[in-house]
Amino acid sequence: MSKIKNIIIFASGSGSNAENLILKLSANKVKINWHVFTNNPKAGVIKRCEALNIKCEVFEKQLFFNSSLIEQKILRINPNLVILAGFLLKIPISFINMRFPIINIHPSLLPNYGGKGMYGDYVHAAVIKNKELFSGITIHEVNHNYDEGEILFQKKIKLEKNESIASLSKKINELEMKYFPELVQRLVN
């Protein structure tokens, strides 16, 4: 019988990646206790978690940076993995120093188009504006700087001549839905 894994997901937005991870990994043989946190009381991830019968805990941004309350919760959970899935806050050094593996998914081929303020359509707009030939996804470890941790996985796609933000966003989302659960599954095993 396999050991139960504890996975924490931090999300700020719609929660499509969080939902996809939960559904795909829960279909496998590894038993996972999911713990979802959000800093956005209006985030779509809350409703997605309700539909999956998983608690999503909402916290205030100030609490994330100025209190050990969340850190204490993380220590009690003792996660095998912490996942940032559309989470927009910078992870405090104190979290990184806890020595739990923390990974993030980013909608570009890092090191290009990473850093503060570079998420979602902002990334896609910059890629198109600069007439890049390729874009893709990067899954990386989290360190003390935005989007600069060790790269664990990248998948690239070619941009079309008439690529729009919406069409590129759709392609990137398809890559995320396919490859993010695969990498997380490997890390958990």
Side-chain angles (χ1 to χ4, degrees):
M1 188 162 153
S2 64
K3 183 181 172 202
I4 296 173
K5 305 288 183 175
N6 289 307
I7 297 180
I8 294 174
I9 298 176
F10 282 95
S12 295
S14 76
S16 61
N17 267 311
E19 178 183 54
N20 187 52
L21 288 168
I22 292 166
L23 290 172
K24 292 222 171 138
L25 272 73
S26 295
N28 293 323
K29 294 177 184 175
V30 177
K31 172 76 172 120
I32 298 173
N33 286 328
W34 295 100
H35 306 269
V36 182
F37 293 87
T38 185
N39 61 303
N40 180 357
K42 297 180 181 175
V45 71
I46 298 167
K47 287 198 184 304
R48 289 180 193 262
C49 285
E50 285 173 3
L52 295 169
N53 202 26
I54 291 173
K55 183 181 176 190
C56 182
E57 191 165 334
V58 180
F59 62 88
E60 293 181 24
K61 182 178 176 179
Q62 299 84 349
L63 204 62
F64 191 62
F65 296 106
N66 302 323
S67 167
S68 64
L69 183 62
I70 294 175
E71 289 178 24
Q72 290 170 4
K73 287 182 182 190
I74 291 171
L75 287 170
R76 279 195 301 274
I77 292 168
N78 191 26
N80 300 91
L81 183 63
V82 176
I83 301 169
L84 309 184
F87 188 64
L88 301 181
L89 300 180
K90 187 173 181 185
I91 300 299
I93 294 294
S94 57
F95 278 37
I96 293 166
N97 290 341
M98 285 186 192
R99 306 229 190 297
F100 300 118
I102 306 172
I103 63 169
N104 181 45
I105 188 161
H106 188 77
S108 77
L109 298 171
L110 293 174
N112 298 328
Y113 306 104
K116 185 172 175 65
M118 292 304 286
Y119 60 92
D121 287 348
Y122 296 113
V123 173
H124 308 320
V127 166
I128 291 168
K129 179 181 176 189
N130 290 330
K131 300 181 183 349
E132 297 287 353
L133 298 176
F134 297 95
S135 189
I137 61 169
T138 302
I139 302 168
H140 64 92
E141 292 179 352
V142 173
N143 67 12
H144 59 282
N145 292 321
Y146 275 114
D147 302 323
E148 291 184 12
E150 181 182 339
I151 293 173
L152 302 173
F153 176 85
Q154 286 188 313
K155 183 69 175 177
K156 77 177 177 180
I157 54 164
K158 188 173 184 344
L159 272 69
E160 303 300 323
K161 288 187 193 287
N162 63 342
E163 201 75 65
S164 68
I165 293 171
S167 66
L168 181 54
S169 177
K170 183 176 186 290
K171 289 177 182 178
I172 295 297
N173 184 258
E174 288 169 0
L175 293 178
E176 291 174 345
M177 294 298 124
K178 177 174 174 38
Y179 293 105
F180 203 17
E182 288 178 8
L183 180 83
V184 170
Q185 182 70 54
R186 284 198 306 265
L187 293 174
V188 169
N189 288 338

